[in-house]
Coordinates of all heavy atoms in Angstrom, one line a residue:
K26 N 0.8 -1.1 -0.1 CA 0.0 0.0 -0.1 C 0.9 1.2 0.0 O 1.9 1.3 0.7 CB -0.9 0.0 1.2 CG -1.8 1.1 1.4 CD -2.7 0.9 2.6 CE -3.5 2.1 2.9 NZ -4.4 1.9 4.0
C27 N 0.5 2.3 -0.7 CA 1.3 3.4 -0.8 C 1.2 4.2 0.5 O 0.1 4.2 1.2 CB 0.7 4.4 -2.0 SG 0.9 3.7 -3.6
H28 N 2.2 4.9 0.8 CA 2.2 5.8 2.0 C 1.2 6.9 1.8 O 1.0 7.3 0.6 CB 3.6 6.3 2.3 CG 4.6 5.3 2.8 ND1 4.5 4.8 4.1 CD2 5.6 4.7 2.2 CE1 5.5 3.9 4.2 NE2 6.2 3.9 3.1
P29 N 0.6 7.4 2.8 CA -0.3 8.5 2.5 C 0.2 9.6 1.8 O 1.4 10.1 2.0 CB -0.8 8.9 4.1 CG -0.4 7.7 4.9 CD 0.7 7.0 4.2
N30 N -0.5 10.2 0.9 CA -0.2 11.4 0.2 C 1.0 11.2 -0.8 O 1.8 12.1 -1.1 CB 0.0 12.7 1.1 CG -1.2 13.0 1.8 OD1 -2.3 13.1 1.2 ND2 -1.0 13.2 3.1
T31 N 1.2 9.9 -1.2 CA 2.3 9.7 -2.1 C 1.7 9.0 -3.4 O 0.7 8.4 -3.4 CB 3.3 8.7 -1.6 OG1 2.8 7.5 -1.3 CG2 4.1 9.3 -0.4
R32 N 2.3 9.2 -4.6 CA 1.8 8.6 -5.7 C 0.5 9.1 -6.2 O -0.3 8.4 -6.9 CB 2.0 7.2 -5.8 CG 3.4 6.7 -5.5 CD 3.5 5.2 -5.7 NE 4.8 4.7 -5.7 CZ 5.3 4.1 -4.6 NH1 4.6 3.9 -3.5 NH2 6.7 3.8 -4.6
L33 N 0.0 10.3 -5.6 CA -1.4 10.7 -5.9 C -1.7 10.9 -7.4 O -2.8 10.5 -7.8 CB -1.7 12.0 -5.1 CG -1.6 11.9 -3.6 CD1 -1.8 13.2 -2.9 CD2 -2.5 10.8 -3.0
A34 N -0.8 11.4 -8.2 CA -1.0 11.5 -9.6 C -1.2 10.3 -10.3 O -2.1 10.1 -11.2 CB 0.1 12.3 -10.2
V35 N -0.4 9.2 -9.9 CA -0.5 7.9 -10.5 C -1.8 7.3 -10.1 O -2.5 6.7 -11.0 CB 0.8 7.0 -10.2 CG1 0.5 5.7 -10.6 CG2 2.0 7.6 -10.7
L36 N -2.1 7.3 -8.9 CA -3.4 6.7 -8.4 C -4.6 7.3 -9.0 O -5.5 6.7 -9.5 CB -3.5 6.8 -6.9 CG -2.4 6.1 -6.1 CD1 -2.5 6.3 -4.6 CD2 -2.5 4.5 -6.4
K37 N -4.5 8.7 -9.2 CA -5.7 9.4 -9.8 C -5.8 9.0 -11.3 O -7.0 8.7 -11.8 CB -5.4 10.9 -9.7 CG -6.5 11.7 -10.3 CD -6.2 13.2 -10.1 CE -7.5 14.0 -10.6 NZ -7.2 15.0 -11.6
K38 N -4.7 8.9 -12.0 CA -4.7 8.5 -13.4 C -5.3 7.1 -13.6 O -6.1 6.9 -14.5 CB -3.3 8.7 -14.0 CG -3.3 8.4 -15.5 CD -2.0 8.8 -16.1 CE -2.0 8.5 -17.6 NZ -0.8 8.9 -18.3
I39 N -4.9 6.3 -12.8 CA -5.3 4.8 -12.9 C -6.8 4.8 -12.6 O -7.6 4.1 -13.2 CB -4.5 3.9 -12.0 CG1 -3.1 3.8 -12.5 CG2 -5.1 2.5 -12.0 CD1 -2.1 3.1 -11.6
M40 N -7.3 5.5 -11.5 CA -8.7 5.4 -11.1 C -9.6 6.1 -12.2 O -10.7 5.6 -12.5 CB -8.9 6.1 -9.7 CG -8.4 5.3 -8.5 SD -9.2 3.7 -8.4 CE -10.9 4.0 -8.0
E41 N -9.1 7.1 -12.8 CA -9.8 7.7 -13.9 C -9.9 6.7 -15.1 O -11.0 6.6 -15.7 CB -9.2 8.9 -14.4 CG -9.3 10.1 -13.5 CD -8.5 11.3 -13.8 OE1 -7.6 11.3 -14.7 OE2 -8.7 12.4 -13.1
W42 N -8.9 6.0 -15.4 CA -8.9 4.9 -16.4 C -9.9 3.9 -16.1 O -10.8 3.4 -16.9 CB -7.5 4.3 -16.6 CG -7.4 3.3 -17.6 CD1 -7.3 3.4 -19.0 CD2 -7.5 1.9 -17.4 NE1 -7.3 2.2 -19.6 CE2 -7.5 1.2 -18.6 CE3 -7.8 1.0 -16.3 CZ2 -7.5 -0.1 -18.8 CZ3 -7.8 -0.3 -16.4 CH2 -7.7 -0.9 -17.7
I43 N -10.0 3.4 -14.8 CA -10.9 2.4 -14.4 C -12.4 2.9 -14.5 O -13.2 2.2 -15.0 CB -10.7 2.0 -12.9 CG1 -9.3 1.2 -12.9 CG2 -11.8 1.2 -12.3 CD1 -8.8 1.0 -11.5
Q44 N -12.6 4.1 -14.1 CA -14.0 4.7 -14.0 C -14.5 5.2 -15.4 O -15.7 5.4 -15.5 CB -14.0 5.8 -12.9 CG -13.8 5.1 -11.6 CD -13.6 6.2 -10.5 OE1 -13.1 7.3 -10.7 NE2 -14.0 5.9 -9.2
N45 N -13.6 5.5 -16.3 CA -14.1 6.0 -17.6 C -13.9 4.9 -18.7 O -13.1 5.0 -19.5 CB -13.3 7.2 -17.9 CG -13.9 8.0 -19.1 OD1 -14.9 7.6 -19.7 ND2 -13.1 8.9 -19.7
S46 N -14.9 4.0 -18.7 CA -14.9 2.8 -19.6 C -15.1 3.2 -21.1 O -14.8 2.5 -21.9 CB -15.7 1.7 -19.1 OG -17.0 2.2 -19.1
E47 N -15.8 4.4 -21.3 CA -16.2 4.7 -22.6 C -15.0 5.0 -23.6 O -15.0 4.7 -24.7 CB -17.1 5.9 -22.6 CG -18.4 5.7 -21.8 CD -19.2 6.9 -21.5 OE1 -18.9 8.0 -22.0 OE2 -20.3 6.7 -20.8
D48 N -14.0 5.7 -22.9 CA -12.8 6.0 -23.8 C -11.7 5.1 -23.6 O -10.5 5.3 -24.1 CB -12.3 7.5 -23.3 CG -13.3 8.5 -23.7 OD1 -14.2 8.3 -24.5 OD2 -13.3 9.5 -22.9
R49 N -11.9 3.9 -23.1 CA -10.9 3.0 -22.8 C -10.6 2.2 -24.1 O -11.4 1.7 -24.8 CB -11.3 2.0 -21.8 CG -10.2 1.1 -21.3 CD -10.6 0.2 -20.1 NE -11.2 1.0 -19.0 CZ -12.1 0.5 -18.1 NH1 -12.5 -0.7 -18.2 NH2 -12.5 1.3 -17.2
D50 N -9.3 2.0 -24.4 CA -8.9 1.2 -25.6 C -8.4 -0.2 -25.2 O -8.1 -1.0 -26.0 CB -7.9 1.9 -26.4 CG -6.5 2.2 -25.6 OD1 -6.6 2.0 -24.4 OD2 -5.6 2.6 -26.3
A51 N -8.4 -0.5 -23.9 CA -8.0 -1.8 -23.4 C -8.8 -2.0 -22.0 O -9.1 -1.1 -21.3 CB -6.5 -1.9 -23.2
W52 N -9.0 -3.3 -21.8 CA -9.6 -3.6 -20.5 C -8.7 -4.1 -19.4 O -9.1 -4.5 -18.3 CB -10.8 -4.7 -20.7 CG -11.8 -4.0 -21.4 CD1 -12.1 -3.9 -22.7 CD2 -13.0 -3.3 -20.8 NE1 -13.2 -3.2 -22.9 CE2 -13.8 -2.8 -21.8 CE3 -13.2 -3.0 -19.4 CZ2 -14.9 -2.0 -21.5 CZ3 -14.4 -2.3 -19.1 CH2 -15.2 -1.8 -20.1
I53 N -7.4 -4.3 -19.7 CA -6.4 -4.7 -18.7 C -5.3 -3.6 -18.7 O -4.8 -3.2 -19.7 CB -5.8 -6.0 -19.1 CG1 -6.9 -7.1 -19.0 CG2 -4.7 -6.4 -18.1 CD1 -6.5 -8.5 -19.4
M54 N -5.0 -3.2 -17.5 CA -3.9 -2.3 -17.4 C -2.7 -3.2 -16.8 O -2.8 -3.7 -15.7 CB -4.1 -1.2 -16.5 CG -3.0 -0.2 -16.3 SD -3.2 1.2 -15.2 CE -4.1 2.3 -16.3
W55 N -1.6 -3.2 -17.5 CA -0.4 -3.9 -17.0 C 0.5 -2.9 -16.4 O 1.1 -2.1 -17.1 CB 0.3 -4.6 -18.2 CG 1.3 -5.6 -17.9 CD1 2.5 -5.5 -17.6 CD2 0.9 -7.0 -17.8 NE1 3.2 -6.6 -17.3 CE2 2.2 -7.6 -17.3 CE3 -0.1 -7.8 -17.8 CZ2 2.3 -9.0 -17.1 CZ3 0.0 -9.2 -17.7 CH2 1.2 -9.7 -17.3
L56 N 0.7 -3.0 -15.2 CA 1.6 -2.2 -14.4 C 3.0 -2.8 -14.4 O 3.2 -3.9 -13.9 CB 1.1 -2.0 -13.0 CG 1.7 -0.9 -12.1 CD1 1.5 0.5 -12.7 CD2 1.0 -0.9 -10.8
H57 N 4.0 -2.1 -14.9 CA 5.3 -2.7 -15.0 C 6.3 -1.6 -14.7 O 6.1 -0.3 -14.7 CB 5.6 -3.2 -16.5 CG 5.5 -2.2 -17.5 ND1 6.5 -1.4 -17.9 CD2 4.4 -1.7 -18.2 CE1 6.1 -0.6 -18.8 NE2 4.9 -0.7 -19.1
G58 N 7.5 -2.0 -14.3 CA 8.6 -1.2 -13.9 C 9.7 -1.9 -13.2 O 9.5 -3.1 -13.0
A59 N 10.7 -1.2 -12.9 CA 11.8 -1.9 -12.2 C 11.5 -2.4 -10.8 O 10.6 -1.9 -10.2 CB 13.0 -0.9 -12.1
A60 N 12.3 -3.4 -10.4 CA 12.1 -4.0 -9.1 C 12.2 -2.8 -8.0 O 13.2 -2.0 -8.2 CB 13.1 -5.0 -8.8
G61 N 11.3 -2.7 -7.1 CA 11.4 -1.8 -6.1 C 10.8 -0.4 -6.4 O 10.8 0.5 -5.7
A62 N 10.2 -0.3 -7.6 CA 9.6 1.0 -8.1 C 8.3 1.2 -7.4 O 7.8 2.4 -7.4 CB 9.4 0.9 -9.6
G63 N 7.7 0.4 -6.8 CA 6.4 0.6 -6.1 C 5.2 0.0 -6.7 O 4.1 0.3 -6.5
K64 N 5.3 -1.0 -7.8 CA 4.2 -1.5 -8.5 C 3.2 -2.2 -7.5 O 2.0 -2.0 -7.7 CB 4.8 -2.5 -9.5 CG 5.7 -1.9 -10.6 CD 6.2 -2.9 -11.5 CE 7.0 -4.0 -10.8 NZ 8.3 -3.6 -10.3
S65 N 3.7 -3.0 -6.7 CA 2.7 -3.7 -5.8 C 2.1 -2.8 -4.8 O 0.9 -2.9 -4.6 CB 3.5 -4.7 -5.0 OG 4.1 -5.7 -5.8
A66 N 2.7 -1.7 -4.3 CA 2.1 -0.7 -3.5 C 1.0 0.0 -4.3 O -0.1 0.3 -3.7 CB 3.1 0.2 -2.9
I67 N 1.3 0.4 -5.5 CA 0.3 1.1 -6.3 C -0.9 0.2 -6.6 O -2.0 0.6 -6.3 CB 0.9 1.6 -7.7 CG1 1.9 2.6 -7.3 CG2 -0.2 2.0 -8.6 CD1 2.8 3.0 -8.5
A68 N -0.6 -1.0 -6.9 CA -1.7 -2.0 -7.2 C -2.6 -2.2 -6.0 O -3.8 -2.3 -6.1 CB -1.1 -3.3 -7.8
Q69 N -2.0 -2.5 -4.9 CA -2.7 -2.7 -3.6 C -3.6 -1.4 -3.3 O -4.7 -1.5 -2.9 CB -1.8 -3.0 -2.4 CG -2.5 -3.3 -1.1 CD -3.3 -4.6 -1.3 OE1 -2.8 -5.5 -1.9 NE2 -4.5 -4.6 -0.7
S70 N -3.0 -0.3 -3.5 CA -3.7 1.0 -3.1 C -4.9 1.2 -4.1 O -6.0 1.5 -3.7 CB -2.9 2.2 -3.3 OG -1.8 2.2 -2.3
I71 N -4.7 0.8 -5.4 CA -5.8 0.8 -6.3 C -6.9 -0.2 -6.0 O -8.1 0.1 -6.0 CB -5.3 0.6 -7.8 CG1 -4.5 1.7 -8.2 CG2 -6.5 0.3 -8.8 CD1 -5.2 3.1 -8.4
A72 N -6.5 -1.3 -5.6 CA -7.5 -2.5 -5.2 C -8.3 -1.9 -4.0 O -9.5 -2.0 -4.0 CB -6.8 -3.7 -4.8
E73 N -7.7 -1.3 -3.1 CA -8.3 -0.8 -1.9 C -9.3 0.3 -2.3 O -10.4 0.4 -1.8 CB -7.4 -0.3 -0.8 CG -6.6 -1.5 -0.2 CD -5.6 -1.0 0.8 OE1 -5.5 0.1 1.1 OE2 -4.9 -2.0 1.2
L74 N -8.8 1.2 -3.2 CA -9.7 2.4 -3.6 C -10.9 1.8 -4.3 O -12.1 2.4 -4.2 CB -8.9 3.3 -4.5 CG -7.9 4.2 -3.9 CD1 -7.0 5.0 -4.8 CD2 -8.7 5.2 -2.9
C75 N -10.8 0.8 -5.2 CA -11.9 0.2 -5.9 C -12.9 -0.4 -5.0 O -14.0 -0.3 -5.2 CB -11.4 -0.8 -7.0 SG -10.6 0.1 -8.3
I76 N -12.4 -1.2 -4.0 CA -13.3 -1.8 -3.1 C -14.1 -0.8 -2.3 O -15.2 -0.9 -2.1 CB -12.5 -2.7 -2.1 CG1 -11.9 -3.9 -2.9 CG2 -13.2 -3.2 -0.8 CD1 -10.9 -4.8 -2.2
K77 N -13.4 0.3 -1.9 CA -14.0 1.4 -1.1 C -15.1 2.1 -2.0 O -16.1 2.5 -1.5 CB -13.0 2.4 -0.8 CG -13.3 3.4 0.4 CD -12.0 4.2 0.6 CE -12.2 4.8 1.9 NZ -11.0 5.7 2.2
S78 N -14.9 2.1 -3.3 CA -15.8 2.7 -4.2 C -16.8 1.7 -4.8 O -17.6 2.0 -5.7 CB -15.1 3.3 -5.5 OG -14.2 4.2 -5.1
K79 N -16.9 0.5 -4.2 CA -17.7 -0.6 -4.6 C -17.7 -1.0 -6.2 O -18.7 -1.3 -6.8 CB -19.2 -0.2 -4.3 CG -19.5 0.2 -3.0 CD -20.1 -0.9 -2.2 CE -20.6 -0.4 -0.8 NZ -19.8 -0.6 0.3
L80 N -16.4 -0.9 -6.6 CA -16.2 -1.4 -7.9 C -15.6 -2.8 -8.0 O -14.8 -3.3 -7.1 CB -15.1 -0.5 -8.6 CG -15.4 1.0 -8.8 CD1 -14.2 1.8 -9.2 CD2 -16.5 1.1 -9.8
S81 N -16.1 -3.6 -8.9 CA -15.7 -4.9 -9.0 C -14.3 -5.0 -9.4 O -13.9 -4.3 -10.5 CB -16.5 -5.8 -10.1 OG -17.9 -5.8 -9.6
I82 N -13.4 -5.7 -8.7 CA -12.0 -5.8 -9.0 C -11.4 -7.1 -8.6 O -11.9 -7.6 -7.6 CB -11.2 -4.6 -8.4 CG1 -9.9 -4.6 -8.8 CG2 -11.3 -4.7 -6.9 CD1 -9.0 -3.3 -8.5
A83 N -10.5 -7.5 -9.3 CA -9.7 -8.7 -9.0 C -8.3 -8.4 -9.2 O -7.9 -7.5 -10.1 CB -10.1 -9.9 -9.8
S84 N -7.4 -9.0 -8.5 CA -5.9 -8.7 -8.6 C -5.1 -10.0 -8.5 O -5.5 -10.9 -7.9 CB -5.5 -7.6 -7.7 OG -5.7 -8.1 -6.3
F85 N -4.0 -9.9 -9.1 CA -3.0 -11.0 -9.0 C -1.6 -10.4 -9.0 O -1.3 -9.6 -9.8 CB -3.2 -11.9 -10.2 CG -2.3 -13.1 -10.1 CD1 -2.7 -14.3 -9.4 CD2 -1.0 -13.1 -10.7 CE1 -1.9 -15.4 -9.3 CE2 -0.2 -14.3 -10.6 CZ -0.6 -15.4 -10.0
F86 N -0.8 -10.8 -8.1 CA 0.6 -10.3 -8.0 C 1.5 -11.4 -8.3 O 1.6 -12.4 -7.6 CB 0.8 -9.8 -6.5 CG 0.0 -8.6 -6.2 CD1 -1.3 -8.7 -5.6 CD2 0.5 -7.3 -6.4 CE1 -2.0 -7.7 -5.3 CE2 -0.3 -6.2 -6.0 CZ -1.6 -6.4 -5.5
F87 N 2.2 -11.2 -9.3 CA 3.4 -12.1 -9.7 C 4.5 -11.9 -8.7 O 4.7 -10.8 -8.3 CB 3.8 -11.9 -11.1 CG 2.9 -12.4 -12.1 CD1 2.1 -11.5 -12.8 CD2 2.8 -13.8 -12.5 CE1 1.1 -11.9 -13.7 CE2 1.9 -14.1 -13.4 CZ 1.0 -13.3 -14.1
F88 N 5.1 -13.0 -8.3 CA 6.3 -12.9 -7.4 C 7.3 -13.9 -7.9 O 7.1 -15.1 -7.9 CB 5.9 -13.2 -6.0 CG 6.9 -12.8 -5.0 CD1 7.4 -11.6 -4.8 CD2 7.4 -13.9 -4.1 CE1 8.3 -11.2 -3.8 CE2 8.4 -13.6 -3.2 CZ 8.8 -12.3 -3.0
R89 N 8.4 -13.4 -8.4 CA 9.5 -14.2 -9.1 C 9.9 -15.4 -8.2 O 10.1 -16.5 -8.9 CB 10.6 -13.3 -9.4 CG 11.7 -14.0 -10.2 CD 12.7 -13.1 -10.7 NE 12.0 -11.9 -11.4 CZ 12.5 -10.8 -11.6 NH1 13.6 -10.5 -11.2 NH2 11.8 -9.9 -12.4
T90 N 10.1 -15.3 -6.9 CA 10.7 -16.5 -6.2 C 9.6 -17.4 -5.6 O 9.9 -18.3 -4.9 CB 11.6 -16.0 -5.1 OG1 10.9 -15.1 -4.2 CG2 12.8 -15.2 -5.7
D91 N 8.4 -17.1 -5.7 CA 7.3 -17.9 -5.2 C 6.7 -18.8 -6.4 O 6.1 -18.3 -7.3 CB 6.2 -17.0 -4.6 CG 5.0 -17.8 -4.0 OD1 4.9 -19.2 -4.3 OD2 4.2 -17.3 -3.3
S92 N 7.0 -20.1 -6.3 CA 6.5 -21.0 -7.4 C 5.1 -21.0 -7.7 O 4.6 -21.4 -8.8 CB 7.0 -22.4 -7.2 OG 6.4 -22.9 -6.1
T93 N 4.2 -20.6 -6.7 CA 2.8 -20.5 -6.9 C 2.4 -19.2 -7.5 O 1.2 -19.0 -7.9 CB 2.0 -20.7 -5.6 OG1 2.3 -19.6 -4.7 CG2 2.4 -22.1 -4.9
R94 N 3.3 -18.2 -7.6 CA 2.9 -17.0 -8.2 C 3.9 -16.4 -9.2 O 4.0 -15.2 -9.5 CB 2.7 -15.9 -7.1 CG 1.6 -16.2 -6.2 CD 1.3 -15.0 -5.2 NE 2.5 -14.9 -4.4 CZ 2.7 -13.6 -3.8 NH1 1.9 -12.6 -4.0 NH2 3.7 -13.5 -3.0
N95 N 4.7 -17.3 -9.8 CA 5.7 -16.8 -10.8 C 5.4 -17.3 -12.2 O 6.4 -17.3 -13.0 CB 7.2 -17.1 -10.3 CG 7.4 -18.6 -10.4 OD1 6.6 -19.4 -10.7 ND2 8.6 -18.9 -9.9
S96 N 4.3 -17.8 -12.5 CA 3.9 -18.3 -13.8 C 2.5 -17.9 -14.1 O 1.6 -17.5 -13.2 CB 4.1 -19.7 -13.9 OG 3.1 -20.4 -13.2
I97 N 2.1 -18.0 -15.3 CA 0.7 -17.6 -15.8 C -0.4 -18.6 -15.4 O -1.6 -18.2 -15.3 CB 0.8 -17.4 -17.3 CG1 -0.4 -16.6 -17.9 CG2 0.8 -18.7 -18.0 CD1 -0.4 -15.1 -17.5
Q98 N 0.0 -19.9 -15.0 CA -1.1 -20.8 -14.8 C -2.1 -20.4 -13.7 O -3.3 -20.6 -13.9 CB -0.4 -22.2 -14.3 CG 0.1 -22.9 -15.5 CD 1.6 -22.4 -16.0 OE1 2.2 -21.7 -15.2 NE2 1.9 -22.8 -17.2
P99 N -1.7 -19.8 -12.6 CA -2.8 -19.5 -11.6 C -3.5 -18.2 -11.8 O -4.5 -17.9 -11.1 CB -2.0 -19.5 -10.3 CG -0.6 -19.1 -10.7 CD -0.3 -19.7 -12.0
L100 N -3.1 -17.4 -12.7 CA -3.7 -16.1 -13.0 C -5.2 -16.1 -13.2 O -6.0 -15.5 -12.5 CB -3.0 -15.4 -14.2 CG -3.6 -14.1 -14.6 CD1 -3.4 -13.0 -13.5 CD2 -2.9 -13.6 -15.9
I101 N -5.6 -16.9 -14.3 CA -7.0 -16.9 -14.7 C -7.9 -17.5 -13.5 O -8.9 -16.9 -13.2 CB -7.3 -17.6 -16.0 CG1 -6.4 -17.0 -17.0 CG2 -8.8 -17.8 -16.3 CD1 -6.9 -15.5 -17.3
A102 N -7.5 -18.6 -12.9 CA -8.2 -19.2 -11.8 C -8.4 -18.3 -10.7 O -9.5 -18.1 -10.1 CB -7.6 -20.4 -11.4
T103 N -7.3 -17.5 -10.3 CA -7.3 -16.6 -9.2 C -8.3 -15.5 -9.5 O -9.2 -15.1 -8.6 CB -5.9 -16.1 -8.9 OG1 -5.1 -17.1 -8.6 CG2 -5.9 -15.1 -7.7
L104 N -8.2 -14.8 -10.7 CA -9.1 -13.8 -11.0 C -10.4 -14.2 -11.0 O -11.5 -13.5 -10.6 CB -8.6 -13.2 -12.4 CG -7.2 -12.5 -12.4 CD1 -7.0 -12.0 -13.8 CD2 -7.1 -11.5 -11.3
A105 N -10.8 -15.3 -11.7 CA -12.1 -15.9 -11.7 C -12.7 -16.1 -10.3 O -13.9 -15.8 -10.0 CB -12.2 -17.2 -12.6
Y106 N -12.0 -16.7 -9.5 CA -12.3 -17.0 -8.1 C -12.7 -15.7 -7.4 O -13.8 -15.6 -6.7 CB -11.3 -17.7 -7.3 CG -11.5 -17.9 -5.9 CD1 -12.5 -18.9 -5.5 CD2 -11.0 -17.1 -4.9 CE1 -12.7 -19.2 -4.2 CE2 -11.2 -17.4 -3.6 CZ -12.2 -18.4 -3.2 OH -12.4 -18.6 -1.9
Q107 N -11.9 -14.6 -7.4 CA -12.1 -13.4 -6.8 C -13.4 -12.7 -7.3 O -14.2 -12.1 -6.5 CB -11.0 -12.5 -7.0 CG -9.7 -12.9 -6.2 CD -8.5 -12.0 -6.5 OE1 -8.6 -10.9 -7.0 NE2 -7.4 -12.5 -6.1
L108 N -13.5 -12.7 -8.6 CA -14.8 -12.1 -9.2 C -16.0 -12.9 -8.8 O -17.1 -12.3 -8.6 CB -14.6 -12.0 -10.7 CG -13.6 -10.9 -11.2 CD1 -13.4 -11.0 -12.7 CD2 -14.0 -9.5 -10.8
A109 N -16.0 -14.2 -8.8 CA -17.1 -15.1 -8.4 C -17.5 -14.7 -6.9 O -18.7 -14.6 -6.6 CB -16.8 -16.5 -8.6
L110 N -16.5 -14.6 -6.1 CA -16.8 -14.3 -4.7 C -17.5 -12.9 -4.6 O -18.5 -12.7 -3.8 CB -15.5 -14.3 -3.8 CG -14.9 -15.6 -3.4 CD1 -13.7 -15.4 -2.7 CD2 -16.0 -16.4 -2.7
M111 N -17.0 -12.0 -5.4 CA -17.7 -10.6 -5.3 C -19.0 -10.7 -5.9 O -20.0 -10.0 -5.3 CB -16.8 -9.7 -6.3 CG -16.3 -8.5 -5.5 SD -15.4 -7.4 -6.6 CE -14.0 -8.5 -6.9
Y112 N -19.2 -11.4 -6.9 CA -20.7 -11.6 -7.5 C -21.5 -12.2 -6.4 O -22.6 -11.8 -6.2 CB -20.5 -12.5 -8.8 CG -22.0 -12.6 -9.3 CD1 -22.5 -11.6 -10.2 CD2 -22.7 -13.8 -9.1 CE1 -23.8 -11.8 -10.7 CE2 -23.9 -14.0 -9.7 CZ -24.5 -13.0 -10.5 OH -25.6 -13.2 -11.1
L113 N -21.1 -13.2 -5.7 CA -22.0 -14.0 -4.8 C -22.3 -13.0 -3.5 O -23.4 -13.1 -3.0 CB -21.3 -15.2 -4.2 CG -21.1 -16.3 -5.2 CD1 -20.2 -17.4 -4.6 CD2 -22.5 -16.9 -5.6
V114 N -21.4 -12.1 -3.2 CA -21.6 -11.2 -2.1 C -22.6 -10.1 -2.5 O -23.4 -9.8 -1.7 CB -20.3 -10.6 -1.6 CG1 -20.5 -9.4 -0.7 CG2 -19.4 -11.6 -0.9
Q115 N -22.5 -9.7 -3.8 CA -23.3 -8.6 -4.2 C -24.8 -9.1 -4.4 O -25.7 -8.3 -4.4 CB -22.8 -8.0 -5.5 CG -21.6 -7.2 -5.3 CD -21.0 -6.6 -6.5 OE1 -21.5 -6.9 -7.7 NE2 -19.9 -5.8 -6.5
Y116 N -24.9 -10.4 -4.9 CA -26.3 -10.8 -5.2 C -26.6 -12.0 -4.3 O -27.1 -12.7 -4.1 CB -26.3 -11.3 -6.7 CG -25.9 -10.1 -7.6 CD1 -24.7 -10.0 -8.1 CD2 -26.9 -9.2 -7.9 CE1 -24.3 -8.9 -8.9 CE2 -26.5 -8.1 -8.8 CZ -25.2 -7.9 -9.3 OH -24.8 -6.9 -10.0

């Protein structure tokens, strides 16, 4: 999670992209950068902002040294599971 009052411009830009689906040219935003750049903190903060705003969201964090999170295999199952749980809670 981002420290308070940090990365505000980045968080704002990503939240605007999420909330403005009419002008979106893609449905997946791939956050990338050097190790230690704060990608996970930004993604966690965005997930929390979306949950707070009652937006459906699922997330997956790749982690190079964790064999359960360093390949594509668990990605779809994890995202589908999270979205299914959200659907069940809402309806």
Side-chain angles (χ1 to χ4, degrees):
K26 179 176 173 176
C27 297
H28 290 288
N30 299 314
T31 62
R32 299 186 177 104
L33 297 178
V35 171
L36 296 174
K37 181 178 184 234
K38 185 173 183 174
I39 294 171
M40 286 303 293
E41 286 172 352
W42 179 84
I43 290 168
Q44 294 170 329
N45 189 10
S46 62
E47 295 167 9
D48 295 333
R49 189 178 305 155
D50 59 350
W52 286 93
I53 295 175
M54 178 180 279
W55 194 274
L56 193 57
H57 60 91
K64 301 175 298 291
S65 294
I67 291 168
Q69 184 64 42
S70 293
I71 290 296
E73 290 175 9
L74 288 169
C75 288
I76 290 167
K77 203 176 197 182
S78 299
K79 306 261 191 258
L80 296 170
S81 296
I82 186 168
S84 62
F85 184 85
F86 294 88
F87 287 99
F88 190 62
R89 187 170 302 158
T90 59
D91 182 344
S92 63
T93 64
R94 294 190 300 156
N95 68 0
S96 69
I97 197 75
Q98 282 80 17
L100 174 65
I101 300 300
T103 300
L104 298 180
Y106 176 77
Q107 290 176 16
L108 291 171
L110 283 179
M111 236 179 294
Y112 179 81
L113 291 173
V114 168
Q115 290 177 354
Y116 302 98

